[in-house]
Amino acid sequence: MVAPTYGTDSLAAVLPGAAGALGVDLTTATGLTSAECAAALGLPAAEQVVVVLCDGLGHLNLAERAGHAPFLRSLLPGTRSLTTTFPSTTAAAVSTFGTGTAPGRSGMLGYTQRNPATGGLANMVSWTEQPDPYRPVPGPGTLPVPAHELQREPTVFERLVAADVPVTSVGPARFAGSGMTLAALRGGAYVPAESLEGRVDGVVRALRPGGPALVYMYWGDVDKTGHHHGWQSWQWGDELEAFDRELARLVRSVPAGTLVLLTADHGQVEVDRAARLDVAATPALAEGVALVGGEPRALHLYVDGADGLDGAVAVADRWRDVLGDGAVVALRDEATAAGWLGPVTDHVRPWVGDVLVAPRERLTVVDSRTQTPASLELLGVHGSFTALEMTVPLVAVQAGRS
């Protein structure tokens, strides 16, 4: 089990480090400075920087399947291993990446979390909310919280733009102006491109010699393939091979001297179907729990407000009895004191589960009352503290330099 960190050895340091490489001074709300991040990550000065985030490409996943990635395999000896957030999942990790802070400040705490104002289950990726999780309506509505009200931290992109450094994000059209983009990655221009090849082309077009710039590119199909087939499948290997090929083309195509950084938001483990528990079918887990948020590898358990701390303690004790050594179970204050979410601000605290649960090994805990049948069948998952989920790579290569 790997504890999250939010310092210069973590995902939070990547964009501040890129700013440092560009010569821009900034300090995040958690005290990271661009200069110290660039130094700690070994980033050289550069006029232009490209940052690629490959969803789901954990460092250990990459190392084990590196036979499918000749370009990245050649760079593995110099690749740094960083820790990601808790939960080790996209919404939490990308907001930490985008702000250089931590989930406890960004308010992005997992795949789903309770909106304390409505009691609904908020999806932090689609930015939608299900009004009554246990009696779902035909379709969820837009989350009734503007992105900037939940995620109040300035992004690194915003700070770069304020320092007269052009920023361009290249990603799918549906992400332009989405709640998650506005929360975690707001600032600069957005260039839509659907295919991997199209995104690489978009990055290259966004770079012009003769001035500072940062270009960000997102690719999600490695994670998607892992969810449906598992990261040890041939399909995942094929997807990694395609990504590796286009990443190599990107490095060949950008202007000489451009610093290209590759990182990821989290890794993956494969589920053990024999070790899956369903809250809806396990009375001892359901008792006293008003709502289950999070995801199967990182759960936020919300108790009835009338039960208070005593209710949360009782829920935590029952979950420890059922799960035994299969999971780490902590009360909200315990998890906060241990630094799971980094510093937690007052406006974020009510969104955090009264009890947090992080399964060990390949155990998953689902709730069939709120999860779709398709989501219950996913083979690749993430969110907990295992090294496969928590360690992500940082590859740094300067175009045209040996």
Side-chain angles (χ1 to χ4, degrees), residues 195-243:
S195 69
L196 178 55
E197 294 83 357
R199 291 185 202 176
V200 169
D201 292 342
V203 170
V204 174
R205 285 194 297 269
L207 292 170
R208 295 289 185 270
L214 184 140
V215 181
Y216 165 71
M217 187 189 102
Y218 170 84
W219 185 245
D221 282 17
V222 170
D223 186 60
K224 180 180 178 181
T225 301
H227 280 311
H228 291 288
H229 301 285
W231 71 272
Q232 299 187 69
S233 66
W234 65 263
Q235 292 95 335
W236 197 90
D238 282 357
E239 188 57 48
L240 176 60
E241 185 174 327
F243 175 75

Side-chain angles (χ1 to χ4, degrees), residues 320-347:
R320 292 186 182 112
D321 288 343
V322 173
L323 301 180
D325 293 334
V328 180
V329 179
L331 295 171
R332 177 170 53 198
D333 286 347
E334 294 171 337
T336 299
W340 289 19
L341 303 170
V344 179
T345 65
D346 289 343
H347 86 277

Side-chain angles (χ1 to χ4, degrees), residues 252-272:
R252 292 195 306 268
S253 302
V254 297
T258 300
L259 177 62
V260 179
L261 305 178
L262 165 70
T263 192
D265 49 353
H266 55 75
Q268 277 196 1
V269 297
E270 293 191 1
V271 302
D272 180 356

Side-chain angles (χ1 to χ4, degrees), residues 25-401:
D25 291 329
L26 62 82
T27 302
T28 73
T30 51
L32 294 181
T33 70
S34 53
E36 71 175 348
C37 289
L41 300 176
L43 303 183
E47 187 174 49
Q48 300 184 322
V49 178
V50 173
V51 182
V52 178
L53 191 145
C54 183
D55 200 324
L57 186 62
H59 193 184
L60 297 181
N61 303 122
L62 170 61
E64 186 160 330
R65 303 299 305 275
H68 293 272
F71 177 68
L72 284 171
R73 184 174 67 244
S74 72
L75 299 172
L76 275 177
T79 297
R80 293 176 183 268
S81 183
L82 305 178
T83 58
T84 189
T85 59
F86 179 82
S88 48
T89 194
T90 299
V94 170
S95 60
T96 287
F97 166 79
T99 63
T101 62
R105 292 197 67 94
S106 73
M108 309 280 280
L109 306 171
Y111 184 66
T112 62
Q113 57 197 63
R114 183 187 62 180
N115 181 347
T118 65
L121 190 63
N123 185 308
M124 306 315 295
V125 174
S126 63
W127 214 261
T128 58
E129 182 170 312
Q130 194 167 282
D132 186 338
Y134 298 109
R135 287 183 294 278
V137 295
T142 301
L143 180 62
V145 179
H148 66 276
E149 289 187 11
L150 176 58
Q151 200 304 90
R152 302 177 184 179
E153 298 295 319
T155 70
V156 176
F157 291 171
E158 288 178 307
R159 292 178 178 221
L160 287 172
V161 170
D164 295 324
V165 175
V167 173
T168 305
S169 295
V170 182
R174 69 183 185 279
F175 286 1
S178 71
M180 185 170 168
T181 296
L182 294 176
L185 300 167
R186 57 183 177 254
Y190 193 95
V191 174
E194 302 307 322
S195 69
L196 178 55
E197 294 83 357
R199 291 185 202 176
V200 169
D201 292 342
V203 170
V204 174
R205 285 194 297 269
L207 292 170
R208 295 289 185 270
L214 184 140
V215 181
Y216 165 71
M217 187 189 102
Y218 170 84
W219 185 245
D221 282 17
V222 170
D223 186 60
K224 180 180 178 181
T225 301
H227 280 311
H228 291 288
H229 301 285
W231 71 272
Q232 299 187 69
S233 66
W234 65 263
Q235 292 95 335
W236 197 90
D238 282 357
E239 188 57 48
L240 176 60
E241 185 174 327
F243 175 75
D244 182 78
R245 182 172 58 249
E246 284 301 303
L247 183 67
R249 183 171 74 87
L250 186 153
V251 173
R252 292 195 306 268
S253 302
V254 297
T258 300
L259 177 62
V260 179
L261 305 178
L262 165 70
T263 192
D265 49 353
H266 55 75
Q268 277 196 1
V269 297
E270 293 191 1
V271 302
D272 180 356
R273 293 286 176 79
R276 185 177 76 176
L277 293 170
D278 185 353
V279 176
T282 311
L285 297 183
E287 184 180 350
V289 176
L291 179 63
V292 178
E295 46 220 297
R297 294 285 295 172
L299 299 99
H300 289 266
L301 308 179
Y302 302 93
V303 305
D304 190 315
D307 293 338
L309 179 60
D310 289 344
V313 170
V315 166
D317 288 344
R318 282 192 292 273
W319 278 65
R320 292 186 182 112
D321 288 343
V322 173
L323 301 180
D325 293 334
V328 180
V329 179
L331 295 171
R332 177 170 53 198
D333 286 347
E334 294 171 337
T336 299
W340 289 19
L341 303 170
V344 179
T345 65
D346 289 343
H347 86 277
V348 170
R349 183 178 173 82
W351 294 77
V352 182
D354 298 292
V355 178
L356 284 79
V357 181
R360 298 179 186 270
E361 303 291 339
R362 295 162 59 200
L363 170 71
T364 52
V365 183
V366 302
D367 186 351
S368 59
R369 296 168 295 189
T370 58
Q371 293 179 245
T372 65
S375 69
L376 296 174
E377 296 303 315
L378 295 179
L379 294 176
V381 290
H382 48 80
S384 193
F385 291 125
T386 68
L388 278 169
E389 296 159 285
M390 288 293 298
T391 56
V392 297
L394 177 66
V395 177
V397 58
Q398 203 157 14
R401 309 284 174 86

